Amino acid sequence: MFRATCNTRDFKKVINATSNLVDEICFEVDENGIKASAMDPSHVALVSMEMPKDVFEEYEGDIQDIGIDLEALKKIIARGRGDEKLILDLDVEKNKLNITFKSNVTRKFSIALYDVSSSNLKVPDIEYPNSVSIKAGAFVEALKDAELVNDHITLKIDENKFVIYSKGDLNQSETVFDNSIDDDDNALADFNMGEASRSTFNLAYLKDLTKSTAAEDLLKIYLGSDMPVKIEYEVSGSKLVFLLAPRIES
Amino acid sequence: MFRATCNTRDFKKVINATSNLVDEICFEVDENGIKASAMDPSHVALVSMEMPKDVFEEYEGDIQDIGIDLEALKKIIARGRGDEKLILDLDVEKNKLNITFKSNVTRKFSIALYDVSSSNLKVPDIEYPNSVSIKAGAFVEALKDAELVNDHITLKIDENKFVIYSKGDLNQSETVFDNSIDDDDNALADFNMGEASRSTFNLAYLKDLTKSTAAEDLLKIYLGSDMPVKIEYEVSGSKLVFLLAPRIES
Amino acid sequence: MFRATCNTRDFKKVINATSNLVDEICFEVDENGIKASAMDPSHVALVSMEMPKDVFEEYEGDIQDIGIDLEALKKIIARGRGDEKLILDLDVEKNKLNITFKSNVTRKFSIALYDVSSSNLKVPDIEYPNSVSIKAGAFVEALKDAELVNDHITLKIDENKFVIYSKGDLNQSETVFDNSIDDDDNALADFNMGEASRSTFNLAYLKDLTKSTAAEDLLKIYLGSDMPVKIEYEVSGSKLVFLLAPRIES
C-alpha cells in the first residue's frame, strides 16, 4: 500500500533536482516517507533525496521499492501546475504508479514500474574541514562565468573568502565571495573554515546538480582539498544531498 | 473589386487557425463577406472559415475567387501589430492582393495571387448524438497530457463526463471533465449527451486545429462513435469549423 | 597605464553594436578616451566607436593600442548585470585586459590581448544630400518587413517621404515614413532633403548594424544615390558610426 498527497510545486522541485543526474531511481517507501539515492551512470556523482512523511498532506506507506523511469516521471510531473494537488498511488496489481493532478479537472497518468531494486546507497559520512552556505543564484551565476573559459572549475576556501575560479588557455574567470563584507545582500549566509582547501570539479556536473535550485535557495557546500564536494539543500521539508568526486589534476 | 478593412488582431487569428492545416486556400469573396474552405493535403481534416461583411470596418466585394499561398500570407500577417488597421485590397490588373498595415506608419505588402480555384467544399451536415462546449485552454492542455504517452487520443462522452484519454505501451493519460461538478471555474460550459460515444483521432491534427485558439475561447465539440469530430469556434464574429476523420481502429 | 570604470549597461551596448560586424578590434586608448574602428571581413561595412573620457566614472589612459577578440569580450560583457560597476584594467606585464564586475560580489575575468594593430581607419568625410532621424525601433521593423520578400532593400528619400522597400519575384514590401504627418508618435524626428535619392543595400548588414539599438534610440541616417549609407547613433555619450556600401544594381 502506498498513497501520498502533496502539492505539485514541491514534488516537481525534488524530482527535477534528482533527474538531472540519474535516469532511473528506486523510491524506498516506508511508513516514515520516501527515500531514494542513486549514482549517475559514470559514477562521479551521487544524489540522495528524502521526503519525510510530514511534507505530505496525506501519507500511507508500507515498506516497498518502487522503481521509476525518471525521464518519464519528469515529463508527467512537468504537466502539473504548481497550484494543483498531486496524488501518488501505487497499483500493485497492474504494477503501475498512478499520478493524479487535481484541480477543477482531474488528470490521471499511469506509469509502468521499472525493475530497479533499491540500491541501499548511503551518502558516506565524511568529516569536512570547511563549509559555506550560499545563495543558489549567486553560485549558479559563478558557474556560468567559469563556463566561458573552461569545462572544469576550482572551488577554494581561504581566509575569509570562498572563491570559484576557472582558467582556460587564454582567458580566466574568478568569482570572490568575501565573508568579511558585512552586507545584507551578501550571498554568503554562513562561512566555516577549518583549513585552506581547494578542489577542482567537472563543471557540467555542478551545473546539473544545481539546475533545479531557485535563486534564494540556500546551498550548504562542504569542501576539502581533493575531497568530493557535498552540496545539500532543502525544498519545503524534503532534503537533497549531492556528492561530486573531484577531478584528479595531473 | 474587393477592398476590406478590419483590425489586425482578428484577421491574424482567422488566418493562423486556417493555415495550420492547409497550405493554400481560395477566398470566395462576394457582397456578404469572405468564405473559404479546404482539406488538408492528406484529406483527413477539413477547415472552413467565414468572415461575414459586418466583421469588417469597411467592406466592398464583387463575386470573385482569390487564390492565396497561406504560408506567405501568414508571414506577412505576423508582421502586423494587433493595434494596427489592416486593409486588404485586390489589384486585379497586377493579379496581386495588397495588404496594408496602418498606424502612424504605413506598411504595404503585395502578394502574388495563386491559381487556386474555389473548391466549393461544404462542411457536411451531420447529425451528432453529443456536443460539449469547453474552454480551449483546458482542451489543449488535455491534448498535451495525452501526447506524453501516444500519438493518438480517444474522445469519450459517457454519463456526465467528457473524457480525453491516451494509452501507450507503458504509460497512460486521462483527463476527465465532469459536468456534474458545479464550479464557476469548470472548463465545460455546455454538455449535451444523446448516447455514450467514443472515437479515436490523430493527435497531431487535433493539436494543429486548436493551435490558434486562446485559452478562454469556447470550443463547441460534436462527437459520435466512429464519426468525424466537428469543432467550431468564433473569433470576433468570424466562424471557424474543423472536421477531423476518426482513426479506424483495427 | 589604462584603467577605466563605467556602468555595465552602457559598455555592453557599445561593444554589442561593434561586435555584430567585426570579430576583432583595436581599442586606441589615450588620455581623451577610447576609440576604435574596423571594417567587416568582406570590406562592405565600416564601424567606428568613440567613448570619450567623460562617459567613464574614472578614467586614466596613456597612449596605447589594445587588440581584442570581440567575440570573447562580448561573451564576458554579457555576463555583467546592468546595475554592476565595470572596471577595465590593462595588465601590461601579462598582456591581458582584466574586466571586473563589481556589486556585492566581485567577478573578475582576464582576457588575452590580440596582436591587432591600430587600423587608423577614419570614417570618410562625405557630403550627403539628405539626412533623416528616425526611431531605431521603427527602422528595424521596416527591415524585418523587407526581409519577408528579398535579401536586399532600397532606401529612398523623395518629397516628404522616407521609404524602405523590397521586391521579390512574387511579393513586395514597402514602409513609408511620411514627414508631412504631424504626429507626436511619428517615427521621424528630423527630415532634411536636398535631392530625391535612392540606394540599395544588403539587408543582412543593415540588420547587423542596427541589432543592438533600443527602440527609442534615434538613428541619424545620411543617404544619397548610389552612395554608402551612414548611420550614426549615441549611447549615453558614446558615439557609434556605421558606413555601408551600396549594392551595385545591374
Side-chain angles (χ1 to χ4, degrees):
Chain A
M1 163 80 200
F2 168 62
R3 188 179 159 89
T5 307
C6 62
N7 82 56
T8 299
R9 186 173 293 115
D10 293 343
F11 194 68
K12 216 179 217 180
K13 285 191 87 173
V14 174
I15 293 304
N16 285 347
T18 315
S19 65
N20 291 331
L21 281 167
V22 296
D23 299 331
E24 45 189 46
I25 206 160
C26 178
F27 290 147
E28 299 163 41
V29 168
D30 65 22
E31 53 172 19
N32 298 314
I34 309 174
K35 275 190 220 178
S37 51
M39 296 205 75
D40 85 290
S42 55
H43 287 225
V44 174
L46 182 153
V47 45
S48 155
M49 68 89 135
E50 235 182 279
M51 301 188 77
K53 178 187 170 152
D54 39 288
V55 308
F56 296 96
E57 276 174 43
E58 291 167 49
Y59 184 89
E60 281 178 276
D62 299 331
I63 294 181
Q64 58 205 308
D65 289 353
I66 302 178
I68 291 286
D69 172 3
L70 267 179
E71 204 50 42
L73 180 60
K74 193 182 183 177
K75 278 185 193 157
I76 290 170
I77 296 298
R79 297 290 313 141
R81 293 198 318 268
D83 59 341
E84 283 180 311
K85 189 178 280 199
L86 170 75
I87 304 156
L88 299 170
D89 179 16
L90 184 69
D91 184 334
V92 181
E93 229 162 87
K94 293 195 183 157
N95 205 33
K96 295 203 164 185
L97 181 68
N98 295 327
I99 298 138
T100 307
F101 298 108
K102 227 171 183 157
S103 52
N104 53 330
V105 179
T106 300
R107 302 184 297 147
K108 180 172 157 189
F109 294 87
S110 300
I111 183 171
L113 298 193
Y114 252 50
D115 196 14
V116 186
S117 56
S118 156
S119 58
N120 282 313
L121 269 175
K122 283 238 150 46
V123 179
D125 205 5
I126 308 173
E127 246 339 77
Y128 282 92
N130 311 297
S131 72
V132 300
S133 285
I134 189 168
K135 281 184 191 155
F139 186 70
V140 167
E141 288 302 305
L143 297 183
K144 288 186 189 162
D145 284 351
E147 202 179 10
L148 292 187
V149 301
N150 212 330
D151 61 358
H152 57 272
I153 65 156
T154 301
L155 304 183
K156 192 170 81 171
I157 280 183
D158 201 357
E159 286 163 21
N160 248 320
K161 297 193 175 79
F162 176 45
V163 181
I164 296 170
Y165 70 90
S166 177
K167 207 172 142 61
D169 290 337
L170 289 173
N171 307 329
Q172 198 171 319
S173 145
E174 183 184 81
T175 302
V176 178
F177 297 99
D178 189 339
N179 188 47
S180 63
I181 296 178
D182 191 12
D183 178 353
D184 283 352
D185 209 23
N186 197 333
L188 284 183
D190 205 10
F191 187 93
N192 302 297
M193 176 176 154
E195 60 178 54
S197 301
R198 42 167 286 169
S199 287
T200 299
F201 302 96
N202 182 301
L203 183 46
Y205 276 99
L206 271 180
K207 280 188 70 183
D208 271 353
L209 62 82
T210 53
K211 200 192 269 175
S212 305
T213 55
E216 294 300 307
D217 286 348
L218 267 191
L219 305 182
K220 181 118 188 175
I221 301 182
Y222 296 87
L223 194 72
S225 283
D226 296 317
M227 292 165 70
V229 63
K230 181 162 84 168
I231 301 183
E232 288 179 1
Y233 67 99
E234 281 208 7
V235 176
S236 335
S238 297
K239 197 175 158 189
L240 289 156
V241 184
F242 301 94
L243 222 70
L244 178 64
R247 218 177 111 101
I248 306 307
E249 290 180 280
S250 51
Chain B
M1 165 78 201
F2 168 60
R3 188 179 159 88
T5 306
C6 63
N7 82 58
T8 299
R9 184 171 295 113
D10 293 343
F11 195 67
K12 215 178 217 180
K13 285 190 88 174
V14 174
I15 293 304
N16 285 346
T18 314
S19 65
N20 291 332
L21 280 167
V22 296
D23 298 332
E24 45 189 48
I25 207 162
C26 178
F27 290 146
E28 300 163 41
V29 169
D30 65 22
E31 53 172 20
N32 299 314
I34 309 175
K35 276 190 218 179
S37 52
M39 296 205 75
D40 85 290
S42 54
H43 287 224
V44 174
L46 181 153
V47 46
S48 154
M49 67 90 135
E50 235 182 280
M51 301 188 77
K53 179 186 168 150
D54 39 289
V55 307
F56 296 96
E57 276 174 43
E58 290 167 50
Y59 185 88
E60 281 178 276
D62 299 331
I63 294 182
Q64 58 205 309
D65 289 353
I66 303 177
I68 291 286
D69 172 3
L70 266 179
E71 203 49 43
L73 180 60
K74 193 182 183 177
K75 278 185 193 158
I76 290 171
I77 296 298
R79 296 290 314 140
R81 293 198 317 268
D83 59 341
E84 284 182 309
K85 188 179 281 197
L86 171 75
I87 303 157
L88 299 170
D89 180 17
L90 185 67
D91 184 334
V92 181
E93 230 163 85
K94 293 196 182 156
N95 206 34
K96 294 200 164 188
L97 181 68
N98 295 327
I99 298 138
T100 306
F101 299 108
K102 227 171 184 156
S103 53
N104 54 330
V105 178
T106 299
R107 301 185 296 147
K108 180 172 157 188
F109 293 88
S110 300
I111 182 171
L113 298 192
Y114 253 49
D115 196 15
V116 186
S117 56
S118 157
S119 57
N120 283 313
L121 268 175
K122 284 236 151 46
V123 179
D125 206 6
I126 308 172
E127 203 59 24
Y128 282 93
N130 311 297
S131 72
V132 300
S133 285
I134 189 169
K135 280 185 193 157
F139 185 69
V140 168
E141 287 302 305
L143 297 184
K144 288 186 189 162
D145 284 351
E147 202 180 10
L148 291 187
V149 301
N150 213 330
D151 60 359
H152 56 271
I153 65 157
T154 301
L155 304 183
K156 193 171 81 172
I157 280 182
D158 201 357
E159 285 162 23
N160 248 322
K161 296 194 176 77
F162 177 45
V163 182
I164 297 169
Y165 70 89
S166 177
K167 207 172 141 62
D169 290 339
L170 289 173
N171 308 328
Q172 198 171 318
S173 146
E174 184 183 81
T175 302
V176 178
F177 297 99
D178 188 339
N179 187 46
S180 64
I181 296 178
D182 192 13
D183 179 352
D184 283 352
D185 210 23
N186 197 333
L188 284 182
D190 206 11
F191 187 93
N192 302 298
M193 177 177 153
E195 61 179 52
S197 302
R198 43 167 286 170
S199 288
T200 299
F201 302 95
N202 181 303
L203 183 46
Y205 277 99
L206 271 180
K207 280 187 71 183
D208 271 353
L209 61 82
T210 52
K211 199 192 269 176
S212 306
T213 56
E216 294 301 307
D217 286 347
L218 267 191
L219 305 182
K220 180 117 190 177
I221 300 181
Y222 295 88
L223 193 72
S225 283
D226 296 315
M227 291 166 73
V229 63
K230 180 161 86 167
I231 301 183
E232 288 179 0
Y233 66 98
E234 282 208 5
V235 175
S236 335
S238 297
K239 197 175 160 189
L240 289 156
V241 184
F242 301 94
L243 222 71
L244 178 65
R247 217 178 112 99
I248 306 308
E249 289 178 283
S250 51
Chain C
M1 164 79 201
F2 168 61
R3 189 180 158 88
T5 307
C6 63
N7 82 57
T8 299
R9 185 172 294 112
D10 294 342
F11 194 68
K12 216 178 215 179
K13 285 190 87 173
V14 174
I15 293 304
N16 285 346
T18 314
S19 66
N20 291 332
L21 281 167
V22 295
D23 298 331
E24 44 189 47
I25 207 162
C26 179
F27 291 146
E28 300 162 40
V29 169
D30 65 23
E31 53 173 17
N32 299 314
I34 308 175
K35 275 189 219 179
S37 52
M39 296 205 75
D40 86 289
S42 55
H43 287 225
V44 173
L46 181 153
V47 45
S48 155
M49 68 90 134
E50 236 182 279
M51 301 189 77
K53 179 187 168 149
D54 40 289
V55 307
F56 295 96
E57 276 175 43
E58 290 167 51
Y59 185 88
E60 280 178 276
D62 300 330
I63 294 182
Q64 59 204 309
D65 289 352
I66 302 177
I68 291 287
D69 172 2
L70 267 178
E71 204 48 45
L73 179 60
K74 193 181 183 177
K75 278 185 193 158
I76 290 171
I77 295 299
R79 296 291 312 141
R81 295 198 317 267
D83 59 341
E84 283 182 310
K85 188 178 281 198
L86 171 75
I87 303 157
L88 299 170
D89 179 17
L90 185 67
D91 185 334
V92 181
E93 230 161 85
K94 292 195 183 157
N95 205 35
K96 295 202 162 184
L97 181 68
N98 295 327
I99 298 137
T100 307
F101 298 109
K102 228 173 180 154
S103 53
N104 53 331
V105 178
T106 300
R107 302 185 296 146
K108 181 173 156 188
F109 293 88
S110 300
I111 183 172
L113 298 193
Y114 252 49
D115 196 14
V116 185
S117 56
S118 156
S119 57
N120 282 313
L121 269 176
K122 285 236 150 45
V123 179
D125 205 5
I126 309 171
E127 210 47 33
Y128 282 93
N130 311 297
S131 71
V132 300
S133 285
I134 189 169
K135 281 186 192 154
F139 185 69
V140 167
E141 287 303 305
L143 297 184
K144 287 186 190 162
D145 285 350
E147 201 179 12
L148 291 187
V149 301
N150 212 330
D151 61 359
H152 56 270
I153 64 155
T154 301
L155 305 183
K156 192 170 82 170
I157 281 183
D158 201 357
E159 285 162 23
N160 248 321
K161 296 195 175 78
F162 176 46
V163 181
I164 297 169
Y165 71 88
S166 177
K167 207 172 142 62
D169 290 338
L170 290 173
N171 307 329
Q172 197 171 319
S173 146
E174 183 184 81
T175 302
V176 178
F177 297 100
D178 189 340
N179 188 47
S180 64
I181 296 178
D182 191 13
D183 178 353
D184 283 353
D185 211 23
N186 197 333
L188 284 183
D190 205 11
F191 187 93
N192 302 297
M193 176 177 155
E195 59 179 56
S197 302
R198 43 167 285 171
S199 287
T200 299
F201 302 95
N202 181 303
L203 184 47
Y205 277 98
L206 271 180
K207 281 188 70 184
D208 271 352
L209 60 82
T210 53
K211 199 192 270 177
S212 306
T213 56
E216 294 300 306
D217 285 347
L218 267 191
L219 304 182
K220 179 117 189 176
I221 301 182
Y222 296 88
L223 194 73
S225 282
D226 296 317
M227 291 166 71
V229 62
K230 181 161 85 167
I231 301 183
E232 287 178 2
Y233 66 98
E234 282 208 5
V235 175
S236 335
S238 297
K239 197 175 158 189
L240 288 156
V241 184
F242 300 94
L243 223 70
L244 178 64
R247 219 178 111 100
I248 306 308
E249 289 179 280
S250 50

